[in-house]
Amino acid sequence: MTEGPAPNHPPDEGVTATAADADTRRGGAVGGDLRRAFSPFKPGADATRVAVAVVGETAPGQEVAPGQEAGAPAVLGTERGYWRTAWYEFRHDRLGMVGLVFVVLLILAAILAPLIAPYSPNYQVPTGLTAAGNPRPPSSHFLLGTDPLGRDELSRLLFGARISLVVGLGSAALGGVLGLVLGGVAGLFGGFADKLLMRLADVILSFPILLLATAVLAVTQPGVGSISIIIGVGFGAYLGRVVYTQALTLRERDFVLAARTAGVSRARILARHILPHVLPSVIVFSTLGVATAIQLEAALSYVGLGIHPPTASWGNMIADGQNYMTTDVWLVLLPGIAIIIAMLGFSLVGDGLRDALDPTLERTVQVKLGALG
Amino acid sequence: MPAENAPSPLIQVEGLAVTFELAAHSWRWKPQVLHAVDGVSFEVCRGESLALVGESGSGKTTTGRALLGLYRPARGSVRFDGEEVSKLKGAELKRFRGRAQMIFQDPYASLNPRMKVGAIIAEPLRAHGAGSQRQRRERVQEMLRLVGLPPDASNRFPYAFSGGQRQRVGIARALALHPDFVVADEPVSALDVSVQAQVLNLLSDLREELSLTMLFIAHNLAVVRHIASRVAVMYLGQLVEVGSRDEVFSRPAHPYTQALLRAVPPPDPGAGWSGEKVSLRGEIPSPVSPPDGCRFHTRCPYAADICRSVVPEMRTFASGRKVACHFAVDANGGEFSSQATTPEARPDRGAGAGVENRAGDAGSGIETGPILS
Amino acid sequence: MTGTAPATLPDHDKGAALVVRRLSTVYGTSYGRITAVRDVSFQIKAGEAVGIVGETGSGKTAIALALVGLLPRNGRIVAGEISLGGVELVNAPKKLLQEVRGRRIAMVFQDSMTSLDPLMPIGKQISEGMVAHLGTSADEARRRALELLEDVGVPDPATRLAQYPHQLSGGLRQRVAIAVAIAANPDVLVADEPTTALDVTIQAQVLDLLERERQRRGMALILITHDLGVVASVTDRVMVMYAGRVVESGTTEDIFRDPRHPYTLGLMKTMPRLDSPLGVRPAAIPGFPPTGYEEVAGCPFSPRCEWVRPACRAEYPPLERVAEAAPTHEAACLVDVRTEAPGDAR
């Protein structure tokens, strides 16, 4: 006997109307509470095969309804797809939602920066420095104080968010696409492409990304574009390896074999059978990659290899403020907090997605259910 | 049976060998070669259902997949309707893919969890550009009816179904193109015994209705009893016995076939069956380095000196049954049609002692006793 | 039994090794609440072999997990008592449960690949229980592990001690899992589908091993399976489960010779067997088993039953003795399947 499938659906939607419907719904409400209480479907549980949750061989709504032929198998009625199920899961992930709020706020701040920033980020406000020439602490004029050149700190933080987000999202997107293509091609076609691409990835991965960036940026014109590309390429090499391994396993799965036996073309196997199973992990890794990219950009800008003054970046803001750390601590603290919030936001969303998208699909869509026996 | 009127073979397998290279260990120059299938010859006639039986590691699944052209033979040939499968290309290969299909063992692994059942069943149709989208949808409905699933099943994802129902989906997919030939690879061994009968009956009905030619792979002889017209028994990459169902079940000639039959526990507490009395010693040896002589000699209760050194030839009995054992004699008293060695050395143990044929005990009008002299 | 029982365990009555009274368990899932086991009672005597037979979803595994206190996090016992040699296990403190598990009751799972620790040499996995439960010294435990491997028929045990589960075949792994389970000489061994993943030939070996060790150690064996054929020659008694309930129980002889519940009859007919007339197709039970989500009024088998009558849908029939001559043979069915024809009351 093998594990049965378990519908992992919210009780409130998508049940066919059978005689058992009313019962299922009522039971569902209880189940919802129980689920939260016992939290059976937490990740990290490959061990689910032995002991975790469990529904039987068949699905709910299976009680034969009047008028239905007894011999005809009744099945659970639901048409909810993978992405809707994933969104349902994500919505119920508190930390993930907190992260999402952070991310949304950050994006709003970046987009609306020209509208909400009290000053232009590079404008040295005439009243921006004290008589002694020191930065001003937070006040009603300068909500978060000013920097050593008399520029408004809040405005610079808001504009800095644009840099961080563009680099973060840009490099993650580039890395994601690169990884998908590299890994997919190598994994599917094997042979020469496989060896060449994977060795290339190994070479890139063998250098610490900071070192690589330092070397490249030392000879090129640093800017948002070049930084994004460098981080994106490094990330793509990493993700390529992940996708490659997954594609290799997927290639041997029975449903792919079934498609081959049916004469399905290679392109379609890639599109319908491989990609949908690789995509979730690419999305998860890319989201987590945004956080890493934001951190890397800040680090590069801090050491002077990234965004150059006067353009505001959280990294060079910390560099600018570090001489004043003892007297005007907010100059270091505020961009630091911004970096932490951004990284935390994307990390939490990434973790939430990892649970919700669960690339193996064992948890979200098909809970392994041996325990009912 | 149509096969008896016109026994023309649809599949001809001659000296088929399939090998796999194992990952080379760093200290070995040459990669180890696993001989999964090692010199197998048989035919599957039009409209017949041939059961291929053996333990895991016997090479039965590999044989089945090689028949579908999923593995390239290292030696020998597989001909489908007269054409060499491994040489098919392009349009011809595609046509072959449409005519030969597969049903998988694990109904949880063989259905893409991200596709709706309707799309899964329609996939082979799509791949072969069969019909318009509406016609395909109609065909899906027809297939669902055929396998006993409700019409609305097509809008659901596989996880909504029980193991038995999923297996029906797998059957519908395999038969959607009305293939001539189907390889059913242990289609019921992952299902509850109570559901096995349903699926087996469905398969044999469909086989008759659609005049399918079938290769039915199983490890349990009891399962194939009602669905096979002929039985081929495989051990460690080679065939050891091939014969009509009635003959193989009532008068198993090869000690391995006898052991397989005895291993099935009878549903009768008074039968005096015990694992100890009937079980084969040990397990199937590694196909990387199969034993010399008769491959079965390490576990055979009758093994004699000749078995350890001389490979037994496949001999054909008068009835057409073939057996590869030095000591097998034709119970019908007929002559071997090949000039094979009659046993010179009797087995050193009292042959036959304690090896009563259990199938015979069960009183089904079967001759008792092994055919060992 | 070797070694002395830990002080926390009172002396127990060897007469009834295990008593289960009115046990009910539920699983919470995001789709609803599943009642896996409904009001199940049974007793197992020391050294007895009992089969629990049922389909996926019948609750047979849930019973096993409840017995060894290993219900998953979303599962719990909502009613009933489990008494193992006089020790009450439901709601027992964790520490007591840990002592009981392995020492008094142990379990063998279907999938030995996941029940064995992939990162621990098998010798260590076997001796672990002895060190923990019996206070055996490491050297002694190693020696005993070697003996155990020999007992369970693992060839070349000395080499195997240092190997990891993935280096063994499925059959050998299941033997090792049995060795791990019996290492601390439990009173009761629960084997949940121990042979389902194995070839028939290896199944015969493993059944033989379970039977041999049971007799040698005088332990009780609970053999859980979906295949009636497996229990026929191995167990003394059989319980047939359907939808979380025991629908029929009795001696193996009674169940096979004189099945009284339509479901048991159906199982008998669907079994693939070698002695049925060739060419006659096996009968199949129509329909599919219930899921446990719904509260079925009346007999849960009624939607699939050929003998069904209106009364069956009204009330769940109690488990009652079916014959004067067979004191332990009970079935939960209103119909007498021997005298009434299927479809009579339709």
Side-chain angles (χ1 to χ4, degrees):
Chain A
M1 184 179 47
T2 53
E3 312 83 346
N8 188 20
H9 290 283
D12 51 335
E13 303 166 73
V15 185
T16 19
T18 68
D21 202 20
D23 277 332
T24 314
R25 281 166 194 250
R26 231 178 295 122
V30 181
D33 294 335
L34 266 179
R35 186 176 95 94
R36 249 150 264 143
F38 295 113
S39 184
F41 304 134
K42 276 300 138 193
D46 248 353
T48 34
R49 289 181 59 82
V50 196
V52 175
V54 194
V55 194
E57 166 83 12
T58 35
Q62 187 129 83
E63 161 77 351
V64 176
Q68 191 175 4
E69 192 197 332
V75 289
L76 161 73
T78 172
E79 283 144 45
R80 164 152 336 93
Y82 175 81
W83 297 107
R84 280 186 62 199
T85 310
W87 171 235
Y88 173 83
E89 291 279 322
F90 188 82
R91 236 173 35 206
H92 287 78
D93 181 344
R94 247 174 241 141
L95 280 176
M97 287 307 276
V98 168
L100 190 63
V101 168
F102 281 6
V103 168
V104 168
L105 286 178
L106 204 66
I107 292 174
L108 283 179
I111 293 174
L112 301 177
L115 298 177
I116 54 177
Y119 301 91
S120 161
N122 297 335
Y123 176 53
Q124 299 188 3
V125 188
T127 55
L129 293 175
T130 58
N134 285 329
R136 284 194 184 275
S139 67
S140 56
H141 283 288
F142 303 100
L143 281 177
L144 297 178
T146 60
D147 81 347
L149 293 177
R151 295 172 295 196
D152 181 49
E153 188 76 2
L154 174 62
S155 305
R156 288 183 71 72
L157 278 176
L158 288 171
F159 278 88
R162 299 186 134 196
I163 302 282
S164 290
L165 273 179
V166 168
V167 171
L169 294 173
S171 54
L174 177 70
V177 171
L178 218 58
L180 208 53
V181 171
L182 287 180
V185 167
L188 255 197
F189 293 91
F192 182 69
D194 165 354
K195 290 198 174 68
L196 184 76
L197 291 175
M198 286 305 113
R199 288 300 84 74
L200 194 70
D202 287 346
V203 169
I204 295 175
L205 285 176
S206 62
F207 292 100
I209 185 87
L210 254 171
L211 191 69
L212 198 70
T214 312
V216 178
L217 290 172
V219 295
T220 59
Q221 187 68 34
V224 173
S226 54
I227 293 173
S228 301
I229 290 172
I230 292 163
I231 298 176
V233 166
F235 182 54
Y238 170 70
L239 204 56
R241 288 232 70 127
V242 174
V243 171
Y244 171 67
T245 336
Q246 284 199 352
L248 277 192
T249 347
L250 280 165
R251 215 168 55 169
E252 305 300 321
R253 293 277 290 273
D254 276 359
F255 59 80
V256 174
L257 212 55
R260 279 179 62 198
T261 326
V264 178
S265 68
R266 208 175 244 199
R268 202 176 151 76
I269 289 181
L270 186 65
R272 289 305 297 265
H273 297 285
I274 308 274
L275 208 60
H277 290 93
V278 173
L279 210 54
S281 43
V282 171
I283 292 174
V284 169
F285 277 106
S286 298
T287 312
L288 296 171
V290 176
T292 317
I294 287 175
Q295 180 203 17
L296 274 172
E297 181 276 323
L300 287 169
S301 299
Y302 172 77
V303 297
L305 285 163
I307 306 302
H308 282 196
T311 309
S313 142
W314 295 341
N316 65 29
M317 286 171 73
I318 293 179
D320 289 348
Q322 63 183 344
N323 290 337
Y324 297 81
M325 213 144 77
T326 45
T327 50
D328 307 300
V329 71
W330 68 87
L331 289 178
V332 173
L333 212 54
L334 289 172
I337 289 172
I339 294 170
I340 288 170
I341 287 179
M343 287 185 61
L344 197 65
F346 281 102
S347 299
L348 290 177
V349 171
D351 278 345
L353 285 175
R354 171 158 40 212
D355 296 353
L357 294 176
D358 185 10
T360 63
L361 269 136
E362 308 299 350
R363 189 182 57 83
T364 32
V365 181
Q366 171 201 326
V367 181
K368 296 277 184 169
L369 293 186
L372 246 194
Chain B
M1 199 170 301
E4 272 157 27
N5 304 336
S8 69
L10 180 66
I11 313 263
Q12 287 164 290
V13 182
E14 266 174 47
L16 175 70
V18 182
T19 55
F20 296 103
E21 279 189 6
L22 301 183
H25 287 291
S26 50
W27 63 86
R28 267 198 204 98
W29 278 111
K30 269 184 14 192
Q32 279 184 300
V33 176
L34 186 152
H35 301 271
V37 181
D38 202 0
V40 163
S41 305
F42 62 92
E43 288 178 347
V44 191
C45 293
R46 276 171 220 282
E48 88 162 337
S49 152
L50 175 68
L52 190 57
V53 182
E55 292 168 284
S56 15
S58 63
K60 55 193 195 301
T61 293
T62 310
T63 305
R65 292 185 176 184
L67 258 53
L68 294 177
L70 294 172
Y71 297 136
R72 192 163 287 276
R75 272 181 289 115
S77 80
V78 175
R79 265 173 297 163
F80 180 86
D81 213 356
E83 290 190 78
E84 183 67 42
V85 170
S86 62
K87 295 211 173 91
L88 294 175
K89 280 200 180 69
E92 286 191 327
L93 178 63
K94 189 144 193 179
R95 223 186 45 216
F96 166 72
R97 292 258 181 260
R99 294 181 63 190
Q101 292 288 319
M102 179 147 174
I103 298 168
F104 292 82
Q105 170 177 9
D106 183 349
Y108 295 91
S110 60
L111 306 181
N112 186 341
R114 299 279 291 280
M115 282 165 75
K116 288 184 181 178
V117 162
I120 290 173
I121 298 174
E123 185 163 55
L125 300 169
R126 249 189 106 101
H128 290 266
S132 67
Q133 197 167 356
R134 226 195 64 213
Q135 285 170 317
R136 286 203 293 265
R137 235 185 335 240
E138 276 163 17
R139 180 59 153 277
V140 167
Q141 288 303 319
E142 186 194 324
M143 294 316 296
L144 286 174
R145 236 186 346 265
L146 207 59
V147 299
L149 287 173
D152 54 347
S154 65
N155 278 328
R156 311 216 170 105
F157 288 93
Y159 60 84
F161 297 86
S162 68
Q165 290 169 325
R166 281 165 176 244
Q167 202 54 294
R168 287 167 193 258
V169 174
I171 293 170
R173 168 178 61 191
L175 301 185
L177 279 171
H178 282 338
D180 301 314
F181 176 57
V182 171
V183 173
D185 188 359
E186 301 251 19
V188 299
S189 65
L191 306 176
D192 274 345
V193 165
S194 53
V195 184
Q196 286 181 8
Q198 284 183 358
V199 174
L200 284 174
N201 288 342
L202 174 71
L203 274 175
S204 59
D205 288 348
L206 291 175
R207 200 175 73 74
E208 253 167 57
E209 213 169 303
L210 308 172
S211 56
L212 282 172
T213 307
M214 187 182 279
L215 183 75
F216 191 104
I217 298 171
H219 72 265
N220 185 346
L221 268 167
V223 165
V224 305
R225 191 170 153 88
H226 295 283
I227 202 159
S229 38
R230 281 196 307 139
V231 178
V233 181
M234 216 173 158
Y235 186 78
L236 208 52
Q238 297 180 335
L239 287 176
V240 296
E241 179 163 3
V242 185
S244 75
R245 168 185 69 180
D246 297 23
E247 256 188 321
V248 170
F249 277 94
S250 57
R251 294 182 297 275
H254 197 282
Y256 182 58
T257 316
Q258 295 169 1
L260 282 181
L261 279 167
R262 283 193 310 266
V264 182
D268 175 6
W273 184 90
S274 89
E276 187 188 7
K277 260 202 271 174
V278 308
S279 65
L280 281 172
R281 283 174 288 165
E283 303 192 359
I284 197 162
S286 160
V288 174
S289 47
D292 291 334
C294 173
R295 293 191 170 184
F296 187 57
H297 84 251
T298 54
R299 299 168 79 192
C300 183
Y302 312 112
D305 286 341
I306 181 174
C307 304
R308 294 182 192 83
S309 51
V310 181
V311 179
E313 232 181 291
M314 184 68 106
R315 294 175 299 168
T316 309
F317 288 179
S319 61
R321 173 165 35 172
K322 296 174 179 166
V323 183
C325 173
H326 292 299
F327 298 111
V329 295
D330 193 342
N332 296 334
E335 298 287 316
F336 294 132
S337 51
S338 74
Q339 291 303 80
T341 41
T342 36
E344 284 143 35
R346 287 177 68 89
D348 17 47
R349 306 218 218 153
V355 201
E356 304 99 310
N357 180 353
R358 204 191 47 70
D361 293 348
S364 49
I366 289 170
E367 280 180 37
T368 51
I371 330 275
L372 297 169
S373 62
Chain C
M1 298 281 290
T2 54
T4 48
T8 42
L9 295 179
D11 272 352
H12 57 290
D13 170 22
K14 269 281 191 182
L18 181 71
V19 181
V20 174
R21 267 184 230 100
R22 315 210 60 167
L23 181 72
S24 292
T25 70
V26 297
Y27 288 109
T29 75
S30 59
Y31 204 66
R33 191 169 131 127
I34 298 175
T35 307
V37 178
R38 294 168 199 255
D39 200 13
V40 166
S41 305
F42 60 90
Q43 274 195 36
I44 289 170
K45 292 198 280 288
E48 197 179 19
V50 176
I52 300 183
V53 178
E55 294 168 282
T56 307
S58 64
K60 57 194 197 303
T61 298
I63 288 187
L65 293 175
L67 289 181
V68 293
L70 289 178
L71 279 173
R73 284 202 302 171
N74 64 325
R76 37 180 198 138
I77 295 172
V78 285
E81 295 162 26
I82 300 171
S83 161
L84 180 63
V87 184
E88 180 54 45
L89 297 187
V90 178
N91 296 325
K94 256 208 168 100
K95 203 158 167 286
L96 180 73
L97 272 179
Q98 260 164 19
E99 272 173 61
V100 167
R101 223 181 290 149
R103 178 86 174 75
R104 292 272 170 91
I105 188 164
M107 184 153 174
V108 177
F109 294 88
Q110 171 180 347
D111 186 351
S112 51
M113 195 65 207
T114 49
S115 64
L116 293 173
D117 184 339
L119 298 177
M120 202 192 267
I122 60 176
K124 191 134 183 269
Q125 302 196 41
I126 299 171
S127 49
E128 205 180 33
M130 288 184 277
V131 175
H133 290 296
L134 308 176
T136 318
S137 72
D139 280 354
E140 170 70 6
R142 200 192 125 80
R143 203 183 51 73
R144 294 260 298 114
L146 201 66
E147 270 178 30
L148 271 164
L149 279 185
E150 222 160 294
D151 287 350
V152 297
V154 171
D156 196 7
T159 321
R160 299 290 185 188
L161 275 183
Q163 290 188 330
Y164 292 85
H166 73 266
Q167 293 172 292
L168 309 180
S169 69
L172 282 185
R173 266 203 309 272
Q174 201 55 290
R175 287 173 189 269
V176 170
I178 291 170
V180 171
I182 61 177
N185 268 323
D187 299 342
V188 180
L189 178 65
V190 184
D192 184 12
E193 301 269 11
T195 62
T196 305
L198 305 175
D199 279 320
V200 275
T201 46
I202 310 301
Q203 163 171 291
Q205 295 175 356
V206 169
L207 288 177
D208 169 48
L209 169 65
L210 285 171
E211 174 62 11
R212 209 175 55 218
E213 290 305 316
R214 176 180 76 86
Q215 283 178 358
R216 208 164 81 170
R217 291 162 195 270
M219 67 185 176
L221 172 69
I222 301 180
L223 184 61
I224 296 174
T225 174
H226 67 105
D227 188 352
L228 258 180
V230 165
V231 300
S233 309
V234 178
T235 63
D236 306 316
R237 282 198 295 129
V238 175
M239 296 192 291
V240 180
M241 288 197 68
Y242 189 80
R245 301 192 194 256
V246 176
V247 294
E248 181 162 5
S249 84
T251 62
T252 310
E253 196 80 8
D254 287 340
I255 298 285
F256 280 86
R257 298 259 185 268
D258 186 19
R260 294 301 184 92
H261 196 282
Y263 178 63
T264 315
L265 269 173
L267 282 182
M268 301 282 263
K269 281 191 217 143
T270 61
M271 239 180 322
R273 47 202 299 168
L274 290 168
D275 53 359
S276 62
L278 279 164
V280 179
R281 46 197 277 147
I285 305 175
F288 290 86
T291 61
Y293 283 105
E294 64 282 291
E295 290 297 323
V296 185
C299 173
F301 188 61
S302 56
R304 301 170 72 187
C305 183
E306 292 175 80
W307 278 271
V308 69
R309 52 178 63 178
C312 297
R313 301 212 170 95
E315 205 180 338
Y316 183 78
L319 202 54
E320 278 173 345
R321 201 163 143 181
V322 297
E324 281 303 308
T328 59
H329 191 182
E330 296 177 318
C333 185
L334 298 172
V335 181
D336 189 338
V337 293
R338 290 170 310 163
T339 55
E340 293 165 60
D344 259 4
R346 275 226 195 228

